[in-house]
Amino acid sequence: MARQILLRWLGHDWNTREMQKAAGEFTQTQDPEVAVAAQRTLLTVAVRDYEDDDDEFTAGIDEQLQVVAEWWSAHDPGTAFRQVPPPELKTRDDIEDFLRRHRVREMEGQALVLFITGHGVSGSRTHFLKLPDSVKGRHLNTSMRTTELITAALDSHAENVLVIVNTCYAGKIHSEVANLYEDIRADRKARCSLDVLVTCGHDKPVQVRRFPTLLRGAFHRLRTTAGITTPHLSVADLMEEFERGLGTPEAIKQHRLHRLIDGSGHLTPTPCIPNPGYRHVRELVGVGRRQASTPTDDYWLDRATGRTQDDDSGWYFRGREDLNRRVAEFLSGARARGVLLITGSAGSGKSALLARAVVLSSPTFRDEPIFKTAMDLVDAETVPAPGSITAAVLARHRGAADLAGDILQALGVAPEHPGSIRDPVVEWTQQIVQTLRARSEPVTILIDGLDEADERHRIIEDVLAPLSEFCAPQLAHVPNPRQDTDPPPPTSPAGLRLLIGVRSSRPLSASRTALPDEEQGLVEALQAVFPAAEEQRTDDEGSKKDIELYLHALICDGGHRDTAQEAAELVAPEVWPSFIDARLAGEQLRRADDPAAVARQPEWQKMLQRGTTGLLKRDLMLVAADGLPADVALALLRASAFAEGAGIPWSNIWPQMARVLLRRSRDDWDEMIQKLLKSRLNGYLAHDHEDNRRVYRPAHEALAEALRDLDPNQLDLGDTA
């Protein structure tokens, strides 16, 4: 009965003929995604229905099968497994029939996972899988040597194999399987990843309900707190998350997973273990290949649209026609060379302008429904040509070597190893130069957040300056008559267009008096390297109207078309030139019952005048009413602001940093983080990934600075715990 229940749970209607199909046998008309899944197979050998067992044991086996089936179900087409229904096993012959019917010993494909569960029997030197018809004292003939099952999988033709044994005394297998592993041919061991895990020590009986509980806990953490971003996990990842559920050192010692065969290494992900928390990231054509150090497509989309939540499908930025038209002209086919600096004060929409160009120029994005939404709202002359941006990188918290490597990878070139004595900045910059010289078509490199880089001036001097020969305008060439014997004139390298976003203070007058060296900023340094660079500011007086249009769009999306205009007109002058403050204010207003009434309140206007800090205080008090204490939420936000690199991973790091900032312990940090990410405060955060982990940081560097500089006592939050 349990077998039929499991098959229905898996959504299969298996008949005898289907069960007899060999691994990898699929019809010509099968869905391509299913055919891909045929390269990955899950086999379960589960022995239940022992005469002397109670319902608890049987229910435990069923629970194990359910959680294993759930884990290896299709989370993503690239990680889906073909799941062979578990057979009914009474005798040793039943297991042999199963191995033959599914040609396990000859099985091919990318990955094979074998899960073995039931009662184990430990002889003097041999471990057996006990069967319902096993005879006590005759295990050689009536039980199954566990290693026969293990080696059937390990010595198959599958490229990657993982065997998990959850039986009594499974640790006893160690010496047996180690000896048999030596008999597997050397080239297979060198070429393939072969791993064996057991759940019990050599002297421990299996606790039938503990394994599924711990595995389900690991499954949940991998979907939430772990934040691992690779499609597959390493064996060490699985063991770590499994062990995290055990808690105490004594429980860890008794019930952790044991790795008997290590064929894939400690850190290398294996196709045998799909990551339940993996989210496929769409890559935008035209922004280079995806790397851990460069922003995800969500980064560009967040900033291009002005959305305040990850799951928001709206396009809110309006206006800015002159700026967007200028960027589109710079990226047009008429320009093969040049440098355009997009600059302005903090939060004035520099990244939004650049991200809009990245997203709208992506041929891949043009197939998305949101592209049509955007095109209905913008002037066609402000839309860059498809594919006009070759590479887009983010300089935030990157050193000179980091950024040079990012540019190379975004151009589709692997950085060469510089060796121990060579400077990677010099080597990789030279590699960029060589790449540009080899290109026959103009290249466009977009760099956002240069002011947020760790080595700003070295990036300008040692990475960007050597590229100036490709950006400088070419003088018109007047051909001279030449003889046939003259060598052909040298061909000029393809041009380079550099589009750079960099913060600068807003001038209070139109004076262009040269600043003394000690007062020159990054814009002046860039202009010294690129004398012909053009500059466009995002914080002039005209941007007040752009902020008003942005606020109007946000508030209308909340269903308040009647009062949106009045509210936007009241708020825009108070938050200008900060689109960040406009975003935070707009999010509050579109959640209000009457946005205009809120915007007219003297207390709310006074809060606006305090900028980000005032808006944050109101949001903190609002989430406190939803069960997220304001001081806890603030500690979590500030922890993300203090994080180095691309952001803070959830795991156990975010709770620990928040605990230090809060100055007291809590037992429910994971719950608090979940509430934060589902609350209105999610709009204060952006996410990326670093070192194969999902990380969180403030949505803008100006917001991060405000959080780092904030004295929590200034907010007068009181005791909201």
Side-chain angles (χ1 to χ4, degrees):
M1 176 60 73
R3 177 171 167 273
Q4 282 75 22
I5 292 173
L6 178 64
L7 297 184
R8 286 198 297 272
W9 187 87
L10 289 172
H12 294 310
D13 182 20
W14 291 87
N15 55 41
T16 304
R17 183 178 178 184
E18 286 172 320
M19 288 180 64
Q20 290 177 343
K21 280 190 176 180
E25 257 187 71
F26 281 80
T27 62
Q28 294 287 334
T29 59
Q30 194 157 15
D31 188 299
E33 290 184 358
V34 177
V36 171
Q39 298 298 312
R40 295 176 291 273
T41 303
L42 171 66
L43 301 173
T44 52
V45 174
V47 184
R48 57 193 302 282
D49 299 326
Y50 297 98
E51 290 183 1
D52 54 350
D53 276 324
D54 55 19
D55 292 340
E56 178 75 7
F57 180 87
T58 303
I61 294 292
D62 294 343
E63 189 177 349
Q64 291 178 39
L65 293 176
Q66 187 181 57
V67 70
V68 167
E70 182 179 5
W71 192 307
W72 276 267
S73 292
H75 307 289
D76 179 86
T79 61
F81 271 68
R82 181 180 72 96
Q83 299 194 12
V84 175
E88 293 183 7
L89 302 173
K90 297 289 186 182
T91 68
R92 176 178 174 144
D93 287 340
D94 291 336
I95 295 183
E96 288 290 356
D97 288 345
F98 176 76
L99 295 176
R100 283 192 297 270
R101 182 185 308 126
H102 296 285
R103 303 180 66 243
V104 175
R105 294 183 176 92
E106 302 302 320
M107 187 171 287
E108 299 179 351
Q110 183 192 38
L112 169 60
V113 175
L114 173 61
F115 176 65
I116 304 169
T117 185
H119 276 309
V121 178
S122 178
S124 59
R125 297 181 180 178
T126 306
H127 185 276
F128 295 95
L129 180 63
K130 183 181 177 183
L131 295 153
D133 288 354
S134 293
V135 177
K136 186 175 182 180
R138 298 192 65 233
H139 292 299
L140 282 170
N141 283 331
T142 62
S143 298
M144 187 74 180
R145 276 194 177 189
T146 312
T147 52
E148 287 193 46
L149 283 165
I150 295 173
T151 54
L154 294 182
D155 201 30
S156 67
H157 300 295
E159 298 170 14
N160 303 275
V161 178
L162 171 65
V163 180
I164 302 175
V165 183
N166 182 41
T167 68
C168 306
Y169 318 115
K172 185 79 173 181
I173 306 168
H174 194 179
S175 59
E176 285 186 81
V177 76
N179 291 331
L180 292 168
Y181 181 71
E182 293 300 316
D183 292 331
I184 296 175
R185 61 189 187 277
D187 66 313
R188 174 164 175 77
K189 289 187 288 188
R191 178 173 46 85
C192 303
S193 297
L194 310 175
D195 294 282
V196 178
L197 293 176
V198 299
T199 62
C200 296
H202 69 279
D203 58 349
K204 300 292 182 184
V206 68
Q207 296 187 13
V208 72
R209 305 300 286 267
R210 182 180 290 273
F211 175 77
T213 300
L214 292 170
L215 193 64
R216 185 172 282 112
F219 182 87
H220 174 71
R221 285 188 295 276
L222 285 161
R223 296 187 71 176
T224 54
T225 65
I228 298 175
T229 57
T230 53
H232 301 100
L233 303 174
S234 68
V235 174
D237 291 330
L238 173 61
M239 296 176 69
E240 178 183 347
E241 290 303 327
F242 189 91
E243 187 173 304
R244 198 182 299 278
L246 290 167
T248 67
E250 182 63 26
I252 291 172
K253 183 178 180 180
Q254 289 187 16
H255 303 293
R256 70 181 185 272
L257 294 175
H258 301 267
R259 190 172 188 175
L260 305 190
I261 298 295
D262 177 1
S264 62
H266 187 70
L267 300 176
T268 305
T270 168
C272 291
I273 312 178
N275 177 10
Y278 173 67
R279 303 180 189 179
H280 177 70
V281 178
R282 182 186 66 251
E283 294 190 5
L284 300 180
V285 175
V287 300
R289 297 183 302 175
R290 177 74 182 92
Q291 313 97 42
S293 56
T294 56
T296 64
D297 295 338
D298 282 344
Y299 171 88
W300 302 114
L301 198 57
D302 286 347
R303 280 150 181 77
T305 62
R307 65 186 185 183
T308 60
Q309 303 289 333
D310 286 346
D311 56 356
D312 195 332
S313 59
W315 189 285
Y316 300 105
F317 278 131
R318 306 287 194 273
R320 312 187 92 177
E321 281 87 358
D322 290 342
L323 280 173
N324 288 317
R325 187 176 292 107
R326 180 69 193 86
V327 171
E329 289 173 355
F330 180 77
L331 296 174
S332 69
R335 293 285 299 267
R337 293 166 166 258
V339 178
L340 178 59
L341 307 179
I342 303 298
T343 188
S345 53
S348 61
K350 302 177 294 297
S351 293
L353 197 71
L354 294 172
R356 179 187 187 273
V358 171
V359 171
L360 293 184
S361 67
S362 167
T364 300
F365 179 75
R366 292 179 175 231
D367 295 331
E368 300 290 330
I370 195 174
F371 179 75
K372 184 180 185 305
T373 301
M375 292 303 294
D376 290 341
L377 296 169
V378 303
D379 187 332
E381 293 182 354
T382 68
V383 179
S388 54
I389 295 179
T390 315
V393 296
L394 179 62
R396 180 184 186 271
H397 288 183
R398 305 299 283 165
D402 299 323
L403 192 66
D406 293 346
I407 292 172
L408 275 174
Q409 293 185 66
L411 290 172
V413 179
E416 297 175 356
H417 194 283
S420 58
I421 60 174
R422 295 179 179 176
D423 185 345
V425 177
V426 175
E427 293 297 312
W428 291 343
T429 300
Q430 192 58 37
Q431 200 177 348
I432 296 173
V433 169
Q434 293 168 358
T435 300
L436 294 176
R437 286 195 177 129
R439 297 290 174 101
S440 58
E441 297 293 331
V443 171
T444 302
I445 298 175
L446 182 149
I447 303 173
D448 187 22
L450 180 59
D451 52 283
E452 301 171 25
D454 290 339
E455 296 180 298
R456 297 178 286 275
H457 287 283
R458 192 177 184 201
I459 287 172
I460 294 173
E461 295 165 4
D462 292 349
V463 178
L464 299 182
L467 310 183
S468 60
E469 64 171 292
F470 303 98
C471 303
Q474 287 183 307
L475 298 175
H477 176 67
V478 179
N480 293 318
R482 67 183 184 89
Q483 302 298 322
D484 292 341
T485 56
D486 292 342
T491 58
S492 299
L496 171 64
R497 296 178 298 208
L498 272 179
L499 192 54
I500 302 173
V502 57
R503 184 192 304 186
S504 65
S505 57
R506 187 168 63 89
L508 298 179
S509 68
S511 172
R512 300 296 293 178
T513 304
L515 295 171
D517 290 346
E518 62 272 15
E519 295 183 26
Q520 290 189 0
L522 295 178
V523 171
E524 288 76 22
L526 286 165
Q527 289 170 334
V529 171
F530 304 108
E534 303 163 56
E535 178 185 333
Q536 289 289 319
R537 296 201 66 84
T538 57
D539 55 3
D540 59 13
E541 289 286 338
S543 60
K544 285 183 182 178
K545 184 63 177 178
D546 299 326
I547 288 179
E548 180 184 315
L549 292 172
Y550 175 45
L551 284 163
H552 183 268
L554 283 174
I555 298 168
C556 283
D557 185 69
H560 306 291
R561 293 186 176 277
D562 294 341
T563 60
Q565 187 59 43
E566 180 186 355
E569 289 176 354
L570 287 169
V571 173
E574 301 297 333
V575 298
W576 177 81
S578 174
F579 279 85
I580 296 299
D581 288 349
R583 164 182 166 156
L584 301 178
E587 177 67 5
Q588 290 187 9
L589 291 174
R590 72 172 177 171
R591 291 172 178 261
D593 294 333
D594 186 345
V598 173
R600 286 193 297 267
Q601 292 175 359
E603 295 83 1
W604 200 78
Q605 292 181 355
K606 189 180 298 183
M607 176 201 68
L608 279 183
Q609 293 167 4
R610 292 198 294 270
T612 302
T613 303
L615 291 162
L616 174 61
K617 178 177 180 179
R618 185 171 188 270
D619 277 329
L620 288 169
M621 302 311 292
L622 289 171
V623 298
D626 297 329
L628 175 60
D631 56 344
V632 173
L634 179 59
L636 290 168
L637 289 175
R638 296 189 73 220
S640 73
F642 280 108
E644 296 294 330
I648 189 168
W650 185 338
S651 190
N652 58 349
I653 298 176
W654 201 353
Q656 289 296 334
M657 285 188 66
R659 180 186 62 79
V660 171
L661 293 169
L662 187 62
R663 299 182 181 178
R664 70 172 186 271
S665 299
R666 293 184 67 99
D667 296 328
D668 59 351
W669 279 113
D670 288 340
E671 181 185 349
M672 293 297 102
I673 293 173
Q674 284 183 315
K675 287 187 175 183
L676 177 76
L677 296 178
K678 293 178 180 179
S679 74
R680 63 175 61 232
L681 292 176
N682 183 42
Y684 285 73
L685 296 171
H687 60 80
D688 204 333
H689 73 252
E690 184 176 46
D691 296 331
N692 295 329
R693 294 273 178 168
R694 188 176 176 89
V695 295
Y696 300 86
R697 65 170 182 264
H700 194 279
E701 186 61 22
L703 182 55
E705 291 172 358
L707 286 165
R708 287 194 293 266
D709 295 341
L710 182 67
D711 180 356
N713 297 323
Q714 291 178 346
L715 290 183
D716 189 26
L717 297 175
D719 185 8
T720 61

